[in-house]
Amino acid sequence: MFERGNFGNGILLADNGYALTKYCITPILTVQTPAENLFNESQIRTRNPIERTFGVWKRRFPILAVCIRLQVWKTQALIVATAILHKIAVIEKDIVLLNLSADLEAAVNYVNNVADDGVVNRPQNNNIRNPYIQYFQNLI
């Protein structure tokens, strides 16, 4: 749907496991300027709450963390059912505690220190990221 333009200028934030595209923005592997560092930190901090939510959800329902070998319709039902049960657990305050600040700091440090040759076929075209990096450059 993003490729068809159904979301206008909307973007997805992703980690470096995904390809950089005009609508899927990943962190910079080799940070060279303070603005790029701010971009990376902001990108990671923005992504972090949903990453934590998925982590808690997968800890609560380990089947989500492994290969699910069911028919598609059963997999969809499983995901919806666990999402509902997860929401009930959150409402009932039955949550898994995480060390949020340490996890976030580790993620920022990891992304800022990954070598370019550690990722295969992942273009690092900052032209896609330039409007965002320019925003942070204006803050410095």
Side-chain angles (χ1 to χ4, degrees), residues 2-69:
F2 271 92
E3 287 184 7
R4 289 192 305 261
N6 291 5
F7 299 106
N9 291 330
I11 61 170
L12 296 169
L13 297 179
D15 62 24
N16 284 315
Y18 294 88
L20 173 66
T21 67
K22 66 181 179 179
Y23 59 84
C24 184
I25 307 300
T26 60
I28 300 167
L29 290 176
T30 305
V31 174
Q32 297 177 355
T33 68
E36 290 177 349
N37 187 58
L38 286 173
F39 165 82
N40 266 10
E41 187 168 341
S42 178
Q43 198 269 7
I44 292 166
R45 286 181 186 272
T46 302
R47 241 184 37 238
N48 194 262
I50 193 66
E51 298 277 353
R52 288 193 319 262
T53 299
F54 287 160
V56 172
W57 190 12
K58 290 192 303 189
R59 283 186 189 95
R60 182 169 280 128
F61 300 101
I63 191 169
L64 299 173
V66 297
C67 180
I68 300 173
R69 295 181 180 183

Side-chain angles (χ1 to χ4, degrees), residues 28-135:
I28 300 167
L29 290 176
T30 305
V31 174
Q32 297 177 355
T33 68
E36 290 177 349
N37 187 58
L38 286 173
F39 165 82
N40 266 10
E41 187 168 341
S42 178
Q43 198 269 7
I44 292 166
R45 286 181 186 272
T46 302
R47 241 184 37 238
N48 194 262
I50 193 66
E51 298 277 353
R52 288 193 319 262
T53 299
F54 287 160
V56 172
W57 190 12
K58 290 192 303 189
R59 283 186 189 95
R60 182 169 280 128
F61 300 101
I63 191 169
L64 299 173
V66 297
C67 180
I68 300 173
R69 295 181 180 183
L70 298 172
Q71 295 172 341
V72 172
W73 70 270
K74 288 181 182 180
T75 300
Q76 291 169 335
L78 174 79
I79 292 169
V80 170
T82 59
I84 292 167
L85 291 170
H86 177 68
K87 182 64 176 176
I88 292 168
V90 169
I91 290 169
E92 295 297 320
K93 308 244 187 290
D94 180 32
I95 60 173
V96 178
L97 298 178
L98 303 172
N99 185 351
L100 304 180
S101 60
D103 291 344
L104 181 58
E105 187 68 27
V108 169
N109 289 334
Y110 174 77
V111 169
N112 285 343
N113 293 313
V114 170
D116 280 333
D117 60 3
V119 178
V120 178
N121 295 327
R122 295 290 184 244
Q124 291 301 304
N125 181 355
N126 277 348
N127 292 336
I128 292 172
R129 296 185 190 100
N130 277 344
Y132 309 108
I133 294 168
Q134 186 59 49
Y135 169 82

